[in-house]
């Protein structure tokens, strides 16, 4: 007969943290949110760690190259959505890797034969006021000059005036040679009072641009997630159908880590995909999603570097409604964490867990970490920000952003829900919706991480590992939920009028 779980399928909202002793040195400033992204052996360090425990979901409405750069600047990681043509996903990865911290590959380039009209058109498209002039108009061509806003006057200069007549020529430029450090480049910028320093290689080839404004940006982002070459770290989503074509392109583009994007990861298709990647490439790969011990161990034994937990808990996911399959996110996480810890004791290999879905409030993130997750993956949270790829609209006098699931008819990501049948999406497992617009990623992340650090101090923990060891967690009742919010008062914004 079928196996029955007598314990209810529980969500994060059904739990609260019990405070521990807060020592005098346990302050938010002393709390570290660094966490492992990929597996490692006892006594060793993981190949990749996150500086904050956040990853953005593998979704069309969430994770493109703009989101990836913004989140890496703040210390987290994005997984570029895989429900797009292979070369387009690879190009997004390239763009992220091209945002070398401080050293920027020029994205606005023209030739000396172009005109002022071309300069203005390109400035309108990219928003860049500084343009590189190369012999072939590419980012890696021979540098011939730079065009800045001060090089021309729209009111006086003819639109058909060639760039060669008003650009700052190479002979008049201050530039750095390839191999210069970022510190040395910034010193040149300040010494010569310039806003942009070209970095050139052999034969006067343009390699990078270093901007004065990025010096301030770097100071504003002390948690930047960088690789050994000072490029931003980025992930990419793959599926179990075209991985033999997609993975080589993503690795060639520079992806630091891959993840199999699937609604149900407990499958032989995932094992085949993981083993193919491990046999042919030196790149980390995560797998999922699963909700129990058996699914977790299956993926770990297949070679997964981290495992995603969660089925049906996403804000736009209707898998449970459509198929009656899934599990409460808290219950899933508790069981898988127990299996992970036991596996670590037996093998000495630590497998990071990603909690994917079920996050409604910021405190749910802290609960997920306390229950054993090393980092969380979120879609709705990030879809609200300026950096997400969706449109900002005004609906019923409120600003919103579009947000749709990968299982919706809009995304038509049937590969994510593939069960070995015919190609195509037979029914929806996600919805098309709006989320309230929330502004910039950095501002919101700072607020959320402040809450997490404050709560960890209440729990007497200065690291995520310590929180996982020392946290005390209680189940709450329905009436306790009511008590936890504002009650028995008349809120001032309720519209009560005074005399």
């Amino acid at each position: 007969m079928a196996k029955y779980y007598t314990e209810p399928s529980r969500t994060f909202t059904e739990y609260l943290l019990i405070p521990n002793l807060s020592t005098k040195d346990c302050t938010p400033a002393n709390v570290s949110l660094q966490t492992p992204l990929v597996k490692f052996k006892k006594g060793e360090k993981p190949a990749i760690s996150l500086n904050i425990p956040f990853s953005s979901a593998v979704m069309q409405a969430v994770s493109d190259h703009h989101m990836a750069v913004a989140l890496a600047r703040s210390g987290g990681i994005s997984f570029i959505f895989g429900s797009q043509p292979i070369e387009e996903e690879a190009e997004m990865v390239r763009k992220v890797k091209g945002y070398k911290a401080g050293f920027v590959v020029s994205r606005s380039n023209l030739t000396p034969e172009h005109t002022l009209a071309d300069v203005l058109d390109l400035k309108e498209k990219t928003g860049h006021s500084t343009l590189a002039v190369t012999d072939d108009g590419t980012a890696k061509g021979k540098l011939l000059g730079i065009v800045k806003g001060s090089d021309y006057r729209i009111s006086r200069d003819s639109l058909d005036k060639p760039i060669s007549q008003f650009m700052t020529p190479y002979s008049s430029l201050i530039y750095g040679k390839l191999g210069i450090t970022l510190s040395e480049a910034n010193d040149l910028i300040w010494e010569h009072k310039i806003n942009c320093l070209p970095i050139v290689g052999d034969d006067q080839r343009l390699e990078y641009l270093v901007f004065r404004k990025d010096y301030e940006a770097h100071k504003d982002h002390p948690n930047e997630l960088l690789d050994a070459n000072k490029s931003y770290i980025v992930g990419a989503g793959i599926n179990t159908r075209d991985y033999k074509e997609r993975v080589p392109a993503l690795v060639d583009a520079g992806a630091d880590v891959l993840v199999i994007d699937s609604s149900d990861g407990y499958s032989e298709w995932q094992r085949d995909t993981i083993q193919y990647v491990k046999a042919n490439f030196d790149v980390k790969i995560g797998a999922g999603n699963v909700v129990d011990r058996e699914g977790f161990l299956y993926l770990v034994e297949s070679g997964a570097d981290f495992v995603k937990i969660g089925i049906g808990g996403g804000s736009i996911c209707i898998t449970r409604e459509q198929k009656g399959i899934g599990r409460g996110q808290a219950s899933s996480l508790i069981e898988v964490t127990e299996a992970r810890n036991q596996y670590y004791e037996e093998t000495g290999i630590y497998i990071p867990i990603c909690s994917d879905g079920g996050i409604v409030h910021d405190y749910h993130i802290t609960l997920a970490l306390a229950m054993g997750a090393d980092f969380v993956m979120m879609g709705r949270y990030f879809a609200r920000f300026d950096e997400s790829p969706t449109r900002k609209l005004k609906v019923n006098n409120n600003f919103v952003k579009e947000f749709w699931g990968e299982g919706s008819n809009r995304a038509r990501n049937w590969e994510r829900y593939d069960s070995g049948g015919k190609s195509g999406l037979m029914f929806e497992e996600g919805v098309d919706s709006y989320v309230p617009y929330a502004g910039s990623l950095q501002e919101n992340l700072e607020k959320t991480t402040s809450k997490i650090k404050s709560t960890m101090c209440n729990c007497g923990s200065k690291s995520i590992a310590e929180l996982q060891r020392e946290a005390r967690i209680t189940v709450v009742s329905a009436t306790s939920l009511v008590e936890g919010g504002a009650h028995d008062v008349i809120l001032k914004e309720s519209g009560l009028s005074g005399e």
Side-chain angles (χ1 to χ4, degrees), residues 11-13 313-315 329 357-368 377-378 380-381 384 448 451:
T11 66
F12 292 133
T13 303
S315 60
Q329 191 67 8
I359 303 292
V360 180
H361 307 290
D362 285 351
Y363 82 89
H364 287 170
I365 301 171
T366 318
L367 270 170
M377 177 174 281
M378 298 182 290
R380 180 192 61 85
Y381 180 90
R384 304 172 301 148
T448 299
K451 291 180 185 178

Side-chain angles (χ1 to χ4, degrees), residues 18 39 60-61 69 86 123 131 181 210 275 285 291 335 360 364 380 391 406 463 470-471 474 478:
I18 302 294
K39 67 183 178 184
Q60 295 174 8
V69 169
I86 293 172
K123 182 179 178 181
L131 289 72
T181 67
V210 179
Q275 292 180 344
I285 179 170
V291 294
E335 180 175 328
V360 180
H364 287 170
R380 180 192 61 85
R391 294 184 300 168
E406 289 297 295
S463 70
E470 306 296 336
T474 181

Side-chain angles (χ1 to χ4, degrees), residues 36-40 46-49 257 284-285 305-306 350 352 375:
L37 176 67
V38 295
K39 67 183 178 184
F40 60 95
I48 307 174
S49 292
V257 59
K284 305 300 182 183
I285 179 170
D305 290 296
F306 68 86
Y350 186 89
F375 60 102

Side-chain angles (χ1 to χ4, degrees), residues 250-311:
L250 295 174
V251 172
D252 182 66
D256 297 282
V257 59
L258 307 174
V259 67
I260 305 173
D261 181 34
S262 174
S263 67
D264 177 15
Y266 193 7
S267 74
E268 291 183 341
W269 293 289
Q270 289 229 357
R271 168 165 282 187
D272 290 346
T273 306
I274 295 168
Q275 292 180 344
Y276 165 79
V277 171
K278 289 295 182 181
N280 293 281
F281 303 95
D282 182 22
V283 66
K284 305 300 182 183
I285 179 170
N289 286 19
V290 295
V291 294
D292 62 2
R293 175 189 184 87
E294 290 80 8
F296 171 78
L297 292 175
Y298 182 82
L299 294 178
V300 169
E301 289 160 2
S302 298
D305 290 296
F306 68 86
V307 177
K308 287 206 298 153
I309 312 302
I311 294 179

Side-chain angles (χ1 to χ4, degrees), residues 198-248:
I199 307 298
V200 297
D202 295 336
D203 300 322
Q204 206 173 303
R205 295 285 169 182
L206 177 63
E207 296 291 340
Y208 303 107
L209 299 175
V210 179
F211 291 95
R212 175 188 289 263
K213 62 181 177 63
D214 288 342
Y215 175 78
E216 295 296 331
H218 178 69
K219 291 199 300 183
D220 291 339
H221 298 88
N223 287 325
E224 286 179 314
L225 191 65
L226 307 172
D227 64 16
N229 296 316
K230 303 297 184 183
S231 295
Y232 290 122
I233 288 177
V234 62
I238 63 173
N239 61 66
T240 57
R241 279 277 181 155
D242 66 8
Y243 59 91
K244 290 185 179 180
E245 294 78 38
R246 189 173 294 269
V247 171

